[in-house]
């Protein structure tokens, strides 16, 4: 096939032919890696460089040298190894506590990124013995890989990864493996160096839907898992084949109750017209699920689709209010008293904490169902795949769903089908632009679509093995590339490597990178190079905003376009100002007399020295190799010292650091933080661009979510991110302390936690500086989840913010204490919140209502009781209102006279339209008699 962007005519080379690949691509160079010694605030020279790989990052020492770069047309790319010899799923050092997951891990066997039940592995090994007479590990691993599938998902911006192994064969139950895989599997969350962060059993014991305070158990098996993925907010989304959606944080805790993203319309229950309280009890079978940075989109077997947006309390409330009228809102639920009792019993028996108890009320989901099935039926077509354009790149300000059709086109669906013409569907009619005709003369449909990180381009792969890149508006075609010479099957994975190239992976064929003008590079990751079961061809792509992370059975690497400033600086024969300054600096270090002359040549033109300094600084920030970082920063420092001799340079900012000096300090701090989070103990595969995208506060938040609270507190103090961030980071560190301690008393744990919150140099017995609101409450909740009620009570007493104190007391089930704190603060909203939370924690039957009334009257403070009475009194005085609740309240409070007067007033004001005068009079008389009986009390 002719490439229209190739000036040399038709391309006949097979991109999968090993002869077309340079030798350096088949086996990337490996060398030493930067190791951060742990002290964030130390000098830059304290970073060391080790080659043994023990506990340090490992990546290519030549990553910063132009000789190791590969040119994709005019764009240089590099392959950087971040972690080698990774042992996936290795656990932290034993803290002396018993882990309920240990027994489950003993019954599992790991091969690379996959984890299988030992009984299943023994069955496969026995089968191999019976058929072949031997059970070689390579053959067993090969058979395991052909009968199971391992899903791997990476958190954006260098974050952790999640893996789960499921059987391919399913039985009549919809998930039970017919080959004996077993009824359970484990979802593992790990950092990029393989350290286990969380282990989530699937299906969990408390997997259930809550409908009108009733829990409906859900019976699921590993084969029900359809897809997993991370959002940009580090939420792990697990989608099952019947559209049941589960959401977890990095610690493995549920952030939302299970819900169906594409429910059957006949299964909607809830008894309330409010869409927020409508719950589906069954879901539609799915063909595909696609997790994107803002949530997940699903395509059902009936061709209907839905988009789930995962939001939190920091999102603009007006955004959710402007959702389509058909959208459902899924919010976290408050556990009932029965669930709390089960939780406490589980703590006493040292069982696993029910994950439903740990729901976080800050998260919620908007589920918008799109009637794409109606469009498909009316146009006599089906949908092949889906892709989502995130809301920040969509003209409407909301996500847009793209669906490829069976006739070779693409349908664009908006998020407001109820108010848009044609239900918001637009057929872009790209049949003549993408794919062309197949061997039978039919238009080839698109089988895979991926959006570029900037939202400007869409990569489409068709059934006839044509890769086409078009603009998001489908007005222009950027690229058309034929991959049929290597394989006629669709790739196992496809994604973007930054914004300039597309990467595709075929099993046993390696990774193919295609540039904007039809140029390509092929990267081999050892497929088939070793018969060891741990060296089997497991390759997974994680597209990033500026690179592509490649995760294999034993390593993590990135494919990245060399930053332009680095390419200009280090290419052979460069005459850029930064390159001249680098040469001058190295000549000075070597003692050459030409160093001063080389440096002065840069100052001949005004502004050239400043440009050279900034180029060296920017290049250092984009590097992974500590030696290259030091080389660039040394050159920048040499330029700064040389500039101090220039009178015109000093006069730019008299008495203050120059902008270049301030940039040097800021970037040096940034480099130290990046080197710290890349070390194996933390395992963040973060680049400089990703750091800028997440921002320093986001890095601290991710460290806290990943269980690296101490490092988060150090970085927050080192970068001077503000009092609020530092306080929250120290609170996270204190929460980790109270969770893991078991040998100290509650008082000792509380005192140590207070010392950590106030700062390492503070004494818990002395008054410390004022702290941000909510820090003690957050640590108290962590102690409550760890079963340390004494520590919880001591820390809640230290909380000064009434709102946070009330929220913490409500979370632990102390409703009366929460109401007392609210009454003391004279905040009616907090008092009402306490009563409302108490009511929701009880069942909705008559027994629950009776407990609610007696609990408020007997246990809550007078301010709450008076508000309670006033509310029901006003409600009963309305026309047609029920006065019995307010009368019952007055009777429970022993106010018989007020109750009798209330009943008499209600009797005299009775109006019964549609009833005869005799019937109405009889009803009033009965009510007055009841009032008289009350007065007799």
């Amino acid at each position: 096939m002719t490439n229209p962007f190739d000036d040399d005519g038709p391309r006949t080379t097979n991109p999968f032919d090993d002869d077309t690949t340079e030798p350096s691509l088949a086996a990337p160079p490996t060398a030493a890696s930067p190791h951060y010694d742990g002290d964030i605030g130390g000098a830059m020279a304290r970073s060391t460089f080790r080659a043994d790989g023990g506990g340090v990052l490992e990546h290519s020492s030549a990553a910063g040298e132009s000789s190791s770069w590969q040119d994709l047309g005019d764009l240089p790319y590099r392959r950087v190894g971040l972690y080698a010899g990774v042992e996936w799923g290795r656990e932290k050092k034993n803290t002396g506590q018993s882990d309920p997951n240990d027994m489950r891990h003993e019954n599992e066997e790991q091969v690379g990124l996959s984890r299988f039940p030992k009984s299943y592995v023994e069955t496969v090994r026995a089968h191999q013995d019976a058929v072949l007479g031997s059970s070689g590990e390579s053959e067993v691993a090969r058979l395991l890989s052909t009968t199971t599938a391992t899903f791997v998902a990476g958190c954006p911006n260098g974050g952790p990864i999640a893996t789960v192994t499921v059987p391919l064969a399913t039985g009549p139950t919809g998930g039970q493996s017919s080959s004996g895989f077993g009824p359970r599997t484990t979802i593992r969350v790990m950092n990029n160096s393989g350290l286990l962060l969380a282990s989530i059993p699937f299906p969990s014991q408390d997997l259930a839907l809550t409908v009108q305070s009733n829990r409906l158990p859900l019976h699921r098996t590993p084969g029900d898992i359809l897809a997993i993925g991370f959002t940009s907010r580090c939420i792990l989304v697990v989608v099952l084949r019947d559209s049941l959606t589960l959401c977890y944080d990095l610690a493995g805790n549920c952030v939302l109750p299970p819900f169906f993203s594409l429910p059957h319309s006949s299964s909607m229950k809830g008894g309330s017209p409010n869409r927020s309280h409508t719950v589906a009890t069954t879901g539609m079978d799915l063909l595909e699920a696609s997790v994107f940075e803002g949530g997940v989109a699903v395509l059902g077997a009936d061709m209907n689709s839905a988009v789930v947006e995962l939001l939190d309390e920091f999102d603009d409330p007006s955004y959710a209010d402007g959702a389509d009228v058909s959208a459902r809102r899924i919010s976290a639920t408050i556990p009932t008293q029965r669930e709390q009792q089960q939780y406490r019993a589980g703590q006493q028996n040292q069982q696993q904490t029910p994950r439903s108890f740990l729901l976080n009320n800050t998260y919620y989901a908007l589920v918008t169902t799109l009637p794409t099935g109606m469009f498909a039926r009316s146009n006599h077509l089906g949908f092949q795949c889906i892709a989502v354009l995130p809301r920040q790149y969509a003209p409407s300000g909301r996500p847009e769903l793209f669906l490829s059709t069976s006739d070779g086109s693409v349908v664009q669906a908006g998020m407001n089908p109820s108010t848009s013409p044609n239900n918001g569907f637009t057929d872009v009619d790209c049949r003549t632009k993408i794919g062309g005709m197949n061997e039978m003369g039919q238009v080839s449909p698109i089988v895979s679509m991926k959006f570029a990180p900037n939202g400007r381009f869409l990569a489409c792969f068709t059934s006839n093995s044509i890769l086409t890149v078009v603009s998001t508006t489908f007005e222009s075609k950027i690229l058309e590339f034929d991959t049929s010479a290597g394989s006629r099957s669709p790739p196992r994975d496809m994604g973007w490597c930054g914004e300039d190239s597309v990467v595709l992976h075929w099993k046993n064929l390696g990774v193919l990178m295609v540039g904007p003008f039809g140029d390509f590079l092929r990267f081999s990751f050892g497929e088939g190079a070793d018969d060891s079961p741990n060296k089997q061809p497991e390759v997974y792509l994680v597209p990033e905003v500026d690179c592509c992370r490649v995760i294999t059975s034993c390593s993590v690497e990135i494919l990245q376009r060399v930053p332009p400033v680095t390419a200009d600086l280090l290419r052979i024969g460069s005459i850029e100002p930064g390159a001249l300054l680098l040469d001058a600096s190295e000549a000075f270090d070597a003692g050459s007399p030409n160093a001063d002359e080389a440096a002065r040549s840069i100052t001949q033109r005004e502004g050239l020295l400043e440009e050279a300094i900034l180029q060296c600084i920017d290049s250092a920030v984009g590097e992974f190799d500590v030696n290259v970082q030091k080389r660039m920063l040394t050159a920048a420092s040499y330029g700064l010292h040389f500039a101090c001799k220039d009178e015109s340079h000093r006069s730019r900012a008299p008495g203050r650091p120059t902008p270049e000096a301030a940039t040097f300090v800021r970037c040096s701090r940034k480099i130290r933080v990046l080197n710290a989070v890349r070390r194996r103990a933390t395992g963040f595969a973060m680049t400089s661009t990703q750091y800028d995208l997440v921002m320093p506060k986001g890095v601290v938040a991710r460290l806290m979510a990943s269980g690296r609270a101490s490092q988060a507190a150090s970085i927050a103090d080192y970068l001077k991110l503000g009092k609020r961030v530092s306080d929250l980071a120290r609170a996270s560190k204190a929460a980790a302390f109270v969770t893991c301690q078991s040998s100290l008393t509650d008082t000792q744990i509380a005192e140590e936690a207070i010392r950590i919150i106030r700062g390492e140099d503070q004494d818990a017995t002395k008054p410390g500086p004022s702290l941000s609101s909510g820090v003690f409450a957050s640590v108290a909740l962590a102690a409550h989840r760890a079963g340390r009620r004494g520590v919880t009570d001591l820390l809640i007493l230290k909380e000064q913010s009434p709102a946070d104190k009330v929220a913490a007391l409500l979370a632990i089930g102390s409703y009366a204490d929460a109401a007392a704190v609210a009454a003391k603060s004279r905040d009616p909203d907090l008092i009402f919140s306490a009563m409302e939370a108490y009511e929701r924690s009880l069942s909705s039957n008559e027994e629950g209502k009776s407990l609610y009334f007696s609990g408020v009257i007997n246990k809550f403070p007078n301010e709450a009781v008076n508000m309670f009475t006033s509310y029901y009194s006003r409600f009963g005085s309305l026309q047609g209102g029920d006065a019995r609740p307010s009368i019952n309240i007055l009777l429970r409070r022993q106010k018989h006279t007020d109750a009798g007067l209330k009943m008499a007033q209600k009797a005299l004001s009775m109006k019964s339209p549609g009833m005869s005068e005799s019937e109405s009079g009889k009803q009033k008389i009965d009510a007055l008699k009841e009032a008289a009986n009350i007065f007799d009390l």
Side-chain angles (χ1 to χ4, degrees):
M1 181 176 179
T2 302
N3 181 0
F5 297 93
D6 189 353
D7 295 333
D8 297 332
R11 178 184 292 273
T12 58
T13 305
N14 181 356
F16 295 93
D17 189 354
D18 286 328
D19 293 337
T20 64
T21 308
E22 296 187 25
S24 60
L25 290 177
T30 58
S33 46
H35 170 66
Y36 180 69
D37 61 4
D39 183 10
I40 293 289
M44 190 68 188
R46 294 179 63 180
S47 294
T48 59
F49 197 74
R50 295 173 52 185
D52 56 1
V56 299
L57 269 79
E58 293 188 0
H59 49 71
S60 171
S61 63
E65 300 294 339
S66 60
S67 59
S68 66
W69 301 344
Q70 316 300 326
D71 288 332
L72 187 66
D74 296 332
L75 306 178
Y77 276 78
R78 61 185 178 184
R79 175 177 175 178
V80 183
L82 295 178
Y83 304 95
V86 177
E87 298 178 6
W88 295 109
R90 77 179 193 280
E91 301 186 19
K92 298 178 182 178
K93 295 181 180 179
N94 188 14
T95 60
Q97 291 181 314
S98 59
D99 188 352
N101 297 326
D102 288 343
M103 185 64 66
R104 183 173 64 252
H105 293 165
E106 291 177 0
N107 296 326
E108 295 178 337
E109 185 169 327
Q110 181 167 324
V111 179
L113 285 160
S114 305
R115 186 180 285 269
F116 308 96
K118 277 192 175 180
S119 59
Y120 181 67
V121 177
E122 294 300 328
T123 301
V124 172
R125 188 172 286 116
H127 173 77
Q128 289 294 104
D129 287 337
V131 175
L132 301 178
S134 62
S135 57
E137 292 301 318
S138 60
E139 284 297 320
V140 172
R142 183 192 60 79
L143 187 57
L144 288 173
S145 65
T146 57
T147 57
T148 61
T150 299
F151 297 113
V152 176
C155 187
N157 301 311
I161 68 169
T163 67
V164 61
T165 303
V166 300
L168 292 178
T170 57
T173 60
Q176 178 64 42
S177 173
S178 60
S179 57
F181 184 86
R184 295 187 178 278
T185 189
T186 303
I187 304 172
R188 296 177 299 158
V189 181
M190 302 168 285
N191 67 12
N192 288 274
S193 65
L195 183 65
L196 186 66
L197 303 180
S199 182
I200 307 171
F202 180 87
S204 58
Q205 296 180 355
D206 61 334
L207 184 60
L209 289 175
T210 302
V211 181
Q212 294 182 346
S213 300
N214 296 320
R215 292 176 62 80
L216 304 180
L218 301 173
H219 303 287
R220 298 294 185 270
T221 54
D224 290 320
I225 297 178
L226 177 64
I228 65 173
F230 281 97
T231 69
S232 59
R233 304 185 186 190
C234 301
I235 299 300
L236 174 62
V237 181
V238 181
V239 184
L240 308 188
R241 296 187 183 277
D242 62 349
S243 82
L244 186 66
T245 305
L246 312 174
C247 301
Y248 302 95
D249 60 15
L250 295 181
N253 301 319
C254 285
V255 298
L256 284 174
F259 62 92
F260 289 100
S261 54
L262 192 61
H264 276 292
S265 58
S266 59
S267 69
M268 303 299 289
K269 293 184 179 181
S272 171
N274 191 337
R275 64 187 181 189
S276 301
H277 297 86
T278 303
V279 179
T281 57
T282 59
M284 181 68 65
D285 290 339
L286 299 182
L287 297 178
E288 184 181 356
S290 176
V291 181
F292 65 102
E293 62 182 62
V296 60
V298 297
L299 175 63
D302 62 347
M303 295 299 140
N304 283 317
S305 56
V307 175
V308 180
E309 298 178 74
L310 298 178
L311 308 172
D312 57 33
E313 62 180 352
F314 300 105
D315 285 284
D316 187 356
S318 62
Y319 180 82
D321 296 337
D324 190 73
V325 294
S326 63
R328 295 180 292 130
R329 179 165 177 158
I330 309 296
S331 301
T333 58
I334 294 180
T336 63
Q337 284 191 346
R338 178 182 298 178
E339 290 177 320
Q340 295 181 36
Q341 292 172 359
Q342 293 175 351
Y343 165 73
R344 296 187 182 98
Q347 287 293 333
Q348 294 174 359
N349 298 331
Q350 295 184 352
Q351 296 175 356
Q352 185 179 1
T353 301
R355 297 185 185 272
S356 62
F357 188 82
L358 305 180
L359 295 179
N360 192 332
N361 290 321
T362 62
Y363 291 96
Y364 64 94
L366 285 180
V367 184
T368 305
T369 303
L370 306 175
T372 50
M374 183 186 305
F375 181 90
R377 289 188 294 271
S378 61
N379 291 274
H380 308 288
L381 50 82
F383 297 122
Q384 304 294 314
C385 66
I386 57 177
V388 182
L389 181 65
R391 63 178 182 175
Q392 63 266 32
Y393 304 121
S396 62
R398 295 186 179 275
E400 294 183 358
L401 181 64
F402 286 65
L403 307 97
S404 68
T405 64
S406 55
D407 62 352
S409 186
V410 174
V411 174
Q412 183 178 351
M415 291 296 104
N416 289 287
S418 302
T419 58
S420 302
N422 195 26
N423 291 327
F425 303 141
T426 304
D427 187 346
V428 299
D429 193 12
C430 58
R431 296 168 181 84
T432 60
K433 292 183 179 180
I434 299 178
M437 300 292 181
N438 58 19
E439 297 175 353
M440 302 179 62
Q442 299 174 342
V443 177
S444 299
I446 300 171
V447 296
S448 181
M449 295 188 296
K450 299 292 181 181
F451 279 100
N454 57 10
R456 295 175 54 194
F457 305 109
L458 177 65
C460 306
F461 194 89
T462 61
S463 60
N464 61 344
S465 303
I466 300 295
L467 171 66
T468 306
V469 178
V470 296
S471 61
T472 306
T473 59
F474 291 86
E475 294 178 354
S476 59
K477 181 164 63 174
I478 312 302
L479 167 72
E480 190 170 87
F481 188 85
D482 188 357
T483 65
S484 59
S487 175
R488 291 191 174 273
S489 61
R492 294 184 62 183
D493 203 355
M494 182 178 76
W496 285 79
C497 182
E499 302 174 353
D500 301 299
S501 62
V502 180
V503 288
L504 308 96
H505 171 246
W506 284 266
K507 186 175 182 179
N508 298 325
L509 291 177
V511 174
L512 181 69
M513 177 185 292
V514 183
F517 300 105
D519 303 287
F520 64 86
L521 293 172
R522 184 192 165 204
F523 298 90
S524 174
F525 288 88
E527 287 91 345
D530 198 327
D531 290 336
S532 173
N534 292 327
K535 297 292 182 78
Q536 291 297 314
E538 287 185 270
V539 177
Y540 302 92
L541 305 180
V542 181
E544 299 281 11
V545 65
D546 64 332
C547 63
C548 179
R549 219 183 329 165
V550 182
I551 301 172
T552 70
S553 304
C554 57
S555 66
V556 174
E557 304 179 30
I558 65 170
L559 304 177
Q560 183 189 42
R561 177 186 172 184
V562 180
V565 62
T566 303
D568 293 339
L569 197 66
L570 297 180
R571 73 171 185 265
I572 298 176
S574 174
I575 58 173
E576 291 290 323
L580 299 178
L581 180 60
L582 181 62
D583 292 340
S585 173
E586 293 179 341
F588 178 80
D589 291 339
S592 173
N594 298 327
D596 187 72
E597 181 181 353
R600 290 185 181 278
S601 65
I602 307 175
T603 62
Q604 292 180 356
R605 196 175 67 188
E606 185 177 356
L608 205 62
L609 180 59
E610 290 79 6
E611 181 182 354
I613 295 172
L614 293 178
Q615 282 183 347
C616 291
I617 295 174
D618 292 341
S619 179
V621 170
E623 289 300 317
F624 297 87
D625 193 322
V626 170
N627 280 351
V628 179
Q629 293 171 355
K630 290 181 178 180
R631 178 186 173 195
M632 299 299 173
L633 290 178
T634 300
S637 177
Y638 177 74
L640 287 172
H641 285 289
F642 196 88
C644 291
K645 302 177 182 179
D646 190 348
E647 183 65 29
S648 62
H649 184 84
R650 292 198 304 268
S651 63
R652 292 171 54 202
R656 300 191 309 273
T658 62
E660 292 77 20
T663 301
F664 180 88
V665 173
R666 184 176 63 254
C667 291
S668 297
R669 290 175 175 267
K670 178 180 177 181
I671 291 173
R672 288 192 58 80
V673 172
L674 283 172
N675 289 342
V677 299
R678 289 172 186 159
R679 56 183 300 209
R680 280 184 177 266
T682 306
F684 280 13
M686 183 174 288
T687 65
S688 173
T689 302
Q690 295 165 11
Y691 177 92
D692 295 335
L693 185 64
V694 176
M695 296 185 293
K697 292 182 180 179
V699 174
V700 171
R702 287 184 170 222
L703 287 170
M704 293 164 57
S706 302
R708 303 289 299 174
S710 180
Q711 190 176 26
S714 299
I715 291 178
D717 293 336
Y718 176 63
L719 296 179
K720 298 178 176 60
L721 297 181
K723 179 177 175 55
R724 177 67 177 173
V725 177
S726 296
D727 288 346
L728 292 179
R730 288 196 296 269
S732 178
K733 180 180 178 180
F737 171 79
V738 301
T739 300
C740 66
Q741 283 297 327
S742 59
S743 58
L744 303 178
T745 64
D746 290 347
T747 302
Q748 291 173 329
I749 294 176
E751 290 178 353
E752 181 64 20
I754 295 172
R755 188 182 71 84
I756 294 174
I757 293 174
R758 289 177 173 172
E760 296 296 336
D761 56 343
Q762 294 291 333
D763 187 357
T765 61
K766 298 179 181 179
S770 59
L771 298 171
S772 302
S773 61
V775 292
F776 285 105
S778 63
V779 181
L781 289 178
H784 176 69
R785 289 192 288 267
R788 306 303 296 260
R789 183 56 190 261
V791 179
T792 303
D793 295 337
L794 292 172
L795 292 176
I796 285 182
L797 290 176
K798 291 288 185 179
E799 181 57 55
Q800 299 299 317
S801 170
D804 294 304
K805 196 170 186 177
V806 168
L809 289 169
L810 293 179
I812 66 176
S814 299
Y815 303 104
D817 294 338
V821 173
K824 187 176 180 180
S825 66
R826 300 182 181 276
D827 191 331
D829 291 335
L830 291 179
I831 297 174
F832 182 79
S833 298
M835 292 191 297
E836 183 185 28
Y838 180 54
E839 182 181 17
R840 284 191 294 175
S841 69
L842 301 172
S843 59
S844 58
N845 53 23
E846 291 299 327
E847 182 183 0
K849 292 180 181 179
S850 177
L851 289 174
Y852 174 59
F853 275 69
S854 61
V856 171
I857 293 171
N858 298 327
K859 299 179 180 179
F860 279 51
N862 290 331
E863 292 85 351
V865 176
N866 292 334
M867 177 183 289
F868 185 67
T869 305
S870 176
Y871 171 78
Y872 279 101
S873 297
R874 293 184 180 182
F875 179 76
S877 63
L878 297 176
Q879 182 66 32
D882 189 1
R884 287 176 297 178
S886 60
I887 294 173
N888 289 336
I889 294 171
L890 293 172
L891 291 175
R892 288 175 182 269
R893 298 182 65 185
Q894 303 295 321
K895 295 185 176 181
H896 303 103
T897 303
D898 294 342
L901 288 173
K902 187 73 176 178
M903 190 67 194
Q905 291 173 359
K906 187 65 178 178
L908 294 175
S909 62
M910 278 185 178
K911 293 181 181 180
S912 303
M915 297 179 61
S916 62
E917 293 185 2
S918 59
E919 293 176 347
S920 178
K922 183 178 179 182
Q923 189 178 19
K924 288 185 178 181
I925 292 174
D926 293 340
L928 289 172
K929 288 181 179 179
E930 188 174 350
N933 293 333
I934 295 176
F935 281 122
D936 290 340
L937 296 175

